[in-house]
Amino acid sequence: RWVPIRCARPGACRTIAAGRCGFERTLQGHSPGQAAADHTYCHRDMSPVFLLLVHADPQQAKRLLRRLVSVGRCIVHVDAKAELSAFRIDDPRVSYVKDRVDVRWGAISQVDATLKLMRTALAECEVSQVSHFMLLSGNCYPLRPLEEFRTFSQLHVDTNFIKMIPLASTRKLHE
């Protein structure tokens, strides 16, 4: 993980690289732009891992998988009600959750399936090489070039992009 630390000298910066990437060195007196360039170089071998929850339209899911594996691994949870073989593609960069959940819309089973998907990803991926985990449904499809996403994720290794919507009941607790 890269942690920017400001020097006592105005306009200078020092960036310490350590942690997730295993790359350790100190850059002293470099401009922020140079530190960012070195940061990108350090994380150039990192890639996203796509976590897919699928239940219908196996042709769409396979098309999506073939597209995603060009920039990262894919871990797939196929709803237990669906035939697993219909969603399978023969690619070593794609793994399937073995202990599948019978998912019901809006039920806790969606959370159970997501947690099993995440556990499978953590067990099968070398986390030090993962820039981000990205949760998708089988209905998602990238509109922009995936290499652009890979570069973006490498530049933002230390940033989590999470959408949060406060529930009405929790707002009352904070008033």
Side-chain angles (χ1 to χ4, degrees), residues 145-161:
L146 286 170
E147 195 52 49
E148 184 179 304
F149 174 74
R150 181 182 180 150
T151 301
F152 180 84
S153 67
Q154 289 170 337
L155 288 171
H156 297 90
V157 156
D158 294 328
T159 305
N160 291 311
F161 300 95

Side-chain angles (χ1 to χ4, degrees), residues 3-120:
V3 181
I5 300 172
R6 291 287 171 206
C7 290
R9 296 175 315 195
C13 76
R14 181 172 48 148
T15 304
I16 299 171
R20 287 176 58 176
C21 64
F23 180 81
E24 297 182 22
R25 88 175 171 190
T26 302
L27 303 170
Q28 294 185 355
H30 286 265
S31 69
Q34 179 61 45
D38 287 342
H39 172 80
T40 303
Y41 177 79
C42 172
H43 295 291
R44 72 188 182 287
D45 293 331
M46 297 181 85
S47 60
V49 172
F50 300 98
L51 309 174
L52 278 77
L53 291 166
V54 299
H55 70 282
D57 200 355
Q59 295 309 315
Q60 161 67 17
K62 288 197 252 185
R63 182 177 173 221
L64 175 61
L65 287 169
R66 287 187 192 103
R67 182 103 187 267
L68 295 175
V69 295
S70 67
V71 296
R73 290 207 48 193
C74 296
I75 313 294
V76 184
H77 177 276
V78 178
D79 190 312
K81 294 184 291 295
E83 181 59 45
L84 178 61
S85 61
F87 292 87
R88 244 185 223 289
I89 66 168
D90 187 26
D91 191 306
R93 298 167 293 184
V94 179
S95 301
Y96 296 85
V97 174
K98 291 172 181 54
D99 185 22
R100 301 185 300 149
V101 176
D102 181 359
V103 178
R104 303 289 175 183
W105 190 88
I108 195 69
S109 58
Q110 286 183 306
V111 174
D112 292 338
T114 303
L115 289 174
K116 287 184 185 224
L117 184 60
M118 291 176 176
R119 286 186 190 109
T120 301

